[in-house]
């Protein structure tokens, strides 16, 4: 699948405020600064679509992007940003939970994990809550350009072992780099396969 058109379709802080035109949604979540907004831009070939920043906590609302006039990519705020004050963290977590638990159009939640580090407790706890709530998810490793292939492969095996302590089966795991564009075809093909089962 190719993305021929990507348009900003609106920002919301509650699911009741999301775009009124209901279409399948594919959302991106993960720790603050993991690369959610950058990945959306990379998939859409447009570096100005979603706002990115080297400072964590950039995305604070739910942003819908209309793709090929037929489905949405959804950029979510990050979780687990230690430097944000408690009130700010609580509000972001309300925005995230309201969307994830409340959007009936959410087909797949992509949970982004930094490929350089072991999957941490914050991510494992988040995945556990998705499981408890029956939210379909897949994992995308980000920033895969930052390490050589051998180090990357070893870290991936480590992360799989960590996940298998928690899960009987591994979820789909894809690797990506917003810098090099790697993973783009796999992610878009995966989305297309889900759209085709509709
Ligand atoms: P919040 O909205 O703050 O939660 O962050 P985010 O997850 O949307 O991250 P964002 O896309 O803003 O990227 C954070 C930083 O990581 C930026 O400085 C990006 O340039 C950088 N970055 C994101 N993806 C990649 C990648 O694949 N490779 C490299 N080298 N840098 C990346
Ligand atoms: Mg962002």
């Amino acid at each position: 699948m190719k993305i021929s058109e990507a348009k900003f379709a609106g920002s919301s802080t509650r699911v009741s405020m999301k775009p009124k035109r209901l279409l399948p949604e594919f959302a991106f979540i993960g720790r603050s600064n993991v690369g959610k907004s950058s990945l959306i831009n990379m998939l859409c070939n447009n570096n100005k679509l979603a706002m990115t920043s080297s400072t964590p906590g950039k995305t604070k609302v739910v942003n819908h992007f209309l793709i090929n006039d037929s489905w949405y990519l959804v950029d979510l705020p990050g979780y687990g940003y230690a430097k944000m004050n408690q009130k700010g963290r609580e509000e972001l977590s309300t925005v995230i939970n309201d969307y994830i638990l409340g959007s009936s159009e959410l087909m797949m939640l992509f949970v982004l994990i930094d490929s350089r580090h072991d999957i941490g407790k914050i991510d494992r706890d988040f995945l556990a809550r998705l499981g408890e709530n029956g939210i379909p998810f897949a994992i995308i490793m980000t920033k895969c350009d930052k390490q050589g292939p051998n180090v990357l492969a070893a870290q991936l095996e480590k992360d799989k072992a960590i996940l298998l302590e928690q899960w009987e089966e591994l979820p789909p795991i894809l690797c990506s780099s917003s810098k090099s564009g790697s993973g783009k075809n796999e992610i878009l093909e995966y989305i297309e396969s889900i759209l085709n089962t509709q």
Side-chain angles (χ1 to χ4, degrees):
M1 176 174 52
K2 280 222 155 51
I3 292 188
S4 48
E5 192 186 33
K7 282 197 291 200
F8 175 68
S11 297
S12 58
T13 50
R14 294 295 182 270
V15 77
S16 56
M17 293 157 55
K18 76 175 188 173
K20 293 289 166 265
R21 190 170 163 209
L22 300 181
L23 293 168
E25 295 172 0
F26 296 83
F28 294 75
I29 187 80
R31 294 195 66 170
S32 197
N33 214 42
V34 72
K36 302 172 287 296
S37 304
S38 302
L39 185 59
I40 287 182
N41 289 345
M42 184 272 267
L43 294 174
C44 298
N45 307 311
N46 181 349
N47 279 336
K48 293 195 177 115
L49 196 63
M51 297 233 255
T52 65
S53 167
S54 55
T55 312
K58 177 72 181 171
T59 310
K60 292 197 167 62
V61 294
V62 176
N63 289 310
H64 278 69
F65 299 98
L66 178 62
I67 308 300
N68 297 348
D69 201 40
S70 54
W71 51 279
Y72 292 111
L73 278 177
V74 182
D75 191 14
L76 296 172
Y79 55 76
Y81 179 39
K83 283 190 187 149
M84 191 176 282
N85 66 31
Q86 184 159 349
K87 196 161 171 271
R89 277 208 302 262
E90 279 169 10
E91 172 54 20
L92 278 197
S93 137
T94 305
V95 171
I96 293 168
N97 290 336
D98 190 69
Y99 172 78
I100 292 176
L101 301 176
S103 185
S104 312
E105 285 66 40
L106 178 60
M107 299 286 113
M108 180 59 58
L109 183 64
F110 291 107
V111 182
L112 276 51
I113 307 273
D114 191 320
S115 63
R116 293 171 295 175
H117 313 295
D118 287 3
I119 297 186
K121 183 169 164 32
I122 292 178
D123 288 319
R124 285 184 274 121
D125 289 351
F126 184 81
L127 294 176
R129 285 202 303 278
L130 294 180
E132 284 157 21
N133 288 290
I135 307 295
F137 70 88
I139 289 178
I140 300 181
M141 312 305 292
T142 63
K143 310 194 183 185
C144 291
D145 57 280
K146 289 212 176 207
Q147 297 181 114
N150 295 342
V151 179
L152 188 66
Q155 183 62 53
L156 186 59
E157 287 313 307
K158 228 174 146 194
D159 284 332
K160 284 182 183 170
I162 292 172
L163 286 169
L164 285 171
E165 286 172 16
Q166 185 181 5
W167 299 88
E168 273 175 35
E169 271 178 61
L170 288 175
I173 303 178
L174 302 163
C175 294
S176 74
S177 162
S178 301
K179 203 171 166 194
S180 76
S182 72
K184 181 194 235 170
N185 292 342
E186 290 81 357
I187 295 168
L188 291 179
E189 272 166 28
Y190 185 63
I191 291 176
E192 187 172 30
S193 71
I194 296 169
L195 286 169
N196 286 340
T197 59
Q198 287 239 98

